[in-house]
Amino acid sequence: MNGGIAIGPDDDTLLVTTTPHFPNYIARPGPASVETYLLSEVSGNRIGPSHGVFVLDSPAAEILFDDTGSLAHILTVAGSVRTIDTSLMIDVAAPIEGPLPTVSGFPPGRAPAEYFHASLSPDGRTMIANRWHGRGVTAFNLKDRTATTIDLPAAMVGGVAFNHAESNHGLLAVHEDVQVVVYRFDPPGTLTELSQLRIARPVIPNRGAAEPFGPLASIAWSGDGTHLIAATDMGRAEFQVLSVTEEGGLLTAERFLTACPLSDGNRNLANDILTSNRLRPPTSTPSPTPSPTATSPATNTAVPTASPSNPPTSIPSPTATILPPPSPTPTASPPPRPLYLPLALRERCRPDEQRLDIALVLDASTSMLEPTAAGRTKLEAATEAARILLDQLRLDKGDQAALIAFNADVTTLQTLTSVRADLDGALMRIAVAQQTRIDLGVQAAADEFGSARHRPSHTPVMVVLTDGRANPVPADVAVANAAAAKAAGITVYTVGVGADLDLEALRAMASSPAHVFLAPDAEQLADVYRAIAVALPCAGRYWPGGGTGP
């Protein structure tokens, strides 16, 4: 592990980056993932089990929860942002592709995750991320799913931190290597400098040195928003406290802080700063408008980057209605009247009480014999992923699974059964051939759910995997078959492997955007199927308009 970690607002949910690295800590381009754990399940010095996994194509550098804890925004070392549902660990919006951060001495997009910092604006609409030697920051609009670069004169930009407290609310602090700067942020991409103060440069890591390195330009606001804590290097002190007054217009150096030493007396590996700065001001009290100092402020003009090609999935913004108090009357109290309150509902189900019938629909075209990054065939990686999903089913309590393979034709290798040995044997009998009749695979799965083997009390789910485009029959036929299956109450997941995919068809076939999974390399299928397995027990719909059902 070497990357982002975050604790949710419930003080129990923990999101952790699980990332492979080279021995010199350069992050691999992929695969990588974020897993969810519960702090309440810590036993001794171990935590677990994992309650979900989200697959990434590059390591996660920062993980930021929204105020409700239902969403998390993930910044990767490749400069992209993913927004996920923290309960189901699935995408809820289109990825945002930002510019690659630049760290001298490392290939673009492959520097260690600890170099990267990000912070959410108090309204939850914007994530600001540093670019290290990229001379500026990136503003990610989490609503519109676009990215804007903001140039800064500093040669290096480290930590960034929005202030969520009432005092100095909404101001952005940036650690610029040898100085701390406070800005006012005006969306979509303008920073106005309010004040700055020079500090001693933090210790930059030297991995060949015997002396442990210090914090990487981290910065944070104090809980009440009146001070900043910034990484520095002053003797054995790693942090300096700065007071922030005059609505952000004045920074004053105060005391130094030293991390607890290691048991051998050496300096600790302190790298980040955690405070209670998540308090929000009352909605009835407007935030003060910071005034710039007498010096002429520098205004930085935004340079918008390309928007994502696929239409964004909107993230609903929380709203609140303030009801005025009833006017006092000198005589009698007003009669009672109905009061209608908004209902924020997140469906829950008890996985132990849900039973599943699942059809694994696998592409068996000749392209599945192509090698993965690890050298084995895509088909071998897919069958291993299928076994992992089967491991998560409760076959001993009645769950059932079927296996269907398609190419120029379709073969139901195993009808719905709870016998694991029969399912494992079916996975060994997959034979490849040319062409990709996805439509036949979908139809065969629907037919199996229409047979007497399907138990009406079980939730029917099909997981369709393909590594290419439908041929010779157009994808419209598969989309129509999937639509009929969904109308019959079947939940449809689609999994695409590689780059030569008909993404529009995969999205149209799936029950929702959250039911679409993409794996650039088949070696990522194991994590994809783990993520699907987490969501499966509650794949159906229980409240009208809610959940992740068909």
Side-chain angles (χ1 to χ4, degrees):
M1 175 194 140
N2 186 23
I5 185 170
I7 299 174
D10 61 1
D11 292 329
D12 191 30
T13 304
L14 177 69
L15 294 182
V16 178
T17 305
T18 51
T19 304
H21 289 76
F22 290 121
N24 61 354
Y25 291 89
I26 301 176
R28 295 181 189 271
S33 59
V34 170
E35 295 194 50
T36 180
Y37 296 90
L38 298 179
L39 293 175
S40 57
E41 295 180 345
V42 172
S43 177
N45 62 350
R46 299 187 64 84
I47 187 168
S50 171
H51 289 272
V53 61
F54 181 75
V55 181
L56 294 162
D57 53 9
S58 59
E62 285 274 24
I63 305 171
L64 304 174
F65 278 95
D66 74 346
D67 284 339
T68 68
S70 61
L71 298 178
H73 307 288
I74 303 172
L75 172 71
T76 73
V77 298
S80 64
V81 169
R82 308 288 292 272
T83 298
I84 66 171
D85 180 303
T86 58
S87 176
L88 299 178
M89 297 296 282
I90 55 178
D91 270 311
V92 296
I96 313 175
E97 300 299 333
L100 280 175
T102 303
V103 180
S104 297
F106 294 98
R110 292 176 61 184
E114 61 259 32
Y115 281 89
F116 305 111
H117 301 266
S119 182
L120 285 181
S121 61
D123 62 9
R125 290 175 176 265
T126 305
M127 175 194 287
I128 294 287
N130 74 320
R131 298 182 60 204
W132 202 257
H133 292 123
R135 289 185 177 272
V137 296
T138 303
F140 294 92
N141 187 316
L142 301 173
K143 184 79 171 178
D144 297 338
R145 313 305 290 177
T146 56
T148 301
T149 58
I150 306 175
D151 293 330
L152 294 174
M156 189 278 283
V157 175
V160 293
F162 272 112
N163 183 17
H164 292 250
E166 183 172 2
S167 182
N168 298 312
H169 181 73
L171 299 186
L172 177 70
V174 179
H175 197 309
E176 297 181 0
D177 190 26
V178 294
Q179 64 184 7
V180 170
V181 186
V182 174
Y183 294 96
R184 181 178 67 244
F185 173 66
D186 297 311
T190 300
L191 290 179
T192 302
E193 182 180 314
L194 301 180
S195 58
Q196 63 174 262
L197 182 69
R198 291 190 66 82
I199 63 172
R201 174 185 282 116
V203 176
I204 301 299
N206 180 358
R207 301 199 183 266
E211 178 77 4
F213 55 86
L216 285 170
S218 303
I219 194 167
W221 289 88
S222 62
D224 62 3
T226 62
H227 290 77
L228 285 166
I229 302 95
T232 188
D233 182 30
M234 188 60 65
R236 298 187 71 83
E238 295 100 341
F239 304 98
Q240 185 170 10
V241 179
L242 316 175
S243 68
V244 186
T245 55
E246 299 184 12
E247 297 180 331
L250 179 63
L251 286 175
T252 305
E254 292 192 355
R255 62 191 181 278
F256 292 94
L257 300 175
T258 303
C260 298
L262 297 174
S263 58
D264 58 5
N266 287 325
R267 292 174 62 170
N268 209 332
L269 296 174
N271 184 54
D272 215 339
I273 307 164
L274 179 64
T275 70
S276 60
N277 183 258
R278 290 294 297 174
L279 305 178
R280 305 183 71 173
T283 55
S284 58
T285 304
S287 302
T289 302
S291 302
T293 58
T295 59
S296 177
T299 301
N300 301 281
T301 305
V303 183
T305 61
S307 301
S309 57
N310 50 332
T313 302
S314 62
I315 303 175
S317 301
T319 59
T321 302
I322 301 176
L323 300 176
S327 303
T329 58
T331 53
S333 301
R337 60 178 179 175
L339 178 63
Y340 299 95
L341 298 176
L343 173 64
L345 173 66
R346 172 173 293 278
E347 284 188 338
R348 300 290 180 183
C349 79
R350 297 180 180 276
D352 287 339
E353 298 176 0
Q354 309 303 317
R355 296 278 67 84
L356 294 169
D357 279 355
I358 179 170
L360 298 177
V361 185
L362 298 179
D363 189 334
S365 58
T366 51
S367 60
M368 290 293 287
L369 296 179
E370 295 172 354
T372 68
R376 58 178 173 168
T377 67
K378 289 189 282 187
L379 183 59
E380 289 172 327
T383 54
E384 179 196 25
R387 291 189 184 95
I388 289 173
L389 193 151
L390 292 174
D391 289 341
Q392 307 306 311
L393 297 180
R394 295 173 173 82
L395 298 174
D396 59 333
K397 295 187 178 181
D399 284 355
Q400 297 187 112
L403 179 64
I404 296 165
F406 63 88
N407 36 57
D409 202 349
V410 65
T411 304
T412 300
L413 294 165
Q414 177 59 56
T415 57
L416 286 168
T417 182
S418 297
V419 180
R420 178 58 187 268
D422 292 346
L423 293 165
D424 287 336
L427 286 170
M428 300 295 293
R429 297 196 301 273
I430 300 176
V432 300
Q434 293 183 343
Q435 300 183 345
T436 309
R437 292 292 303 272
I438 305 176
D439 60 307
L440 294 181
V442 173
Q443 187 58 55
D447 291 344
E448 182 63 17
F449 289 128
S451 72
R453 290 177 291 274
H454 169 55
R455 298 171 184 172
S457 61
H458 290 201
T459 301
V461 180
M462 72 170 76
V463 181
V464 183
L465 179 148
T466 183
D467 75 333
R469 300 171 180 269
N471 75 86
V473 176
D476 292 346
V477 180
V479 171
N481 289 352
K486 290 183 286 187
I490 301 169
T491 300
V492 179
Y493 287 86
T494 57
V495 180
V497 183
D500 186 23
L501 299 168
D502 188 339
L503 296 180
E504 183 178 349
L506 291 177
R507 294 189 181 102
M509 290 168 58
S511 289
S512 79
H515 290 72
V516 182
F517 290 81
L518 302 178
D521 184 81
E523 292 298 332
Q524 295 173 306
L525 287 175
D527 284 338
V528 167
Y529 275 44
R530 287 190 186 97
I532 293 174
V534 171
L536 277 178
C538 299
R541 175 176 290 172
Y542 300 90
W543 285 70
T548 60

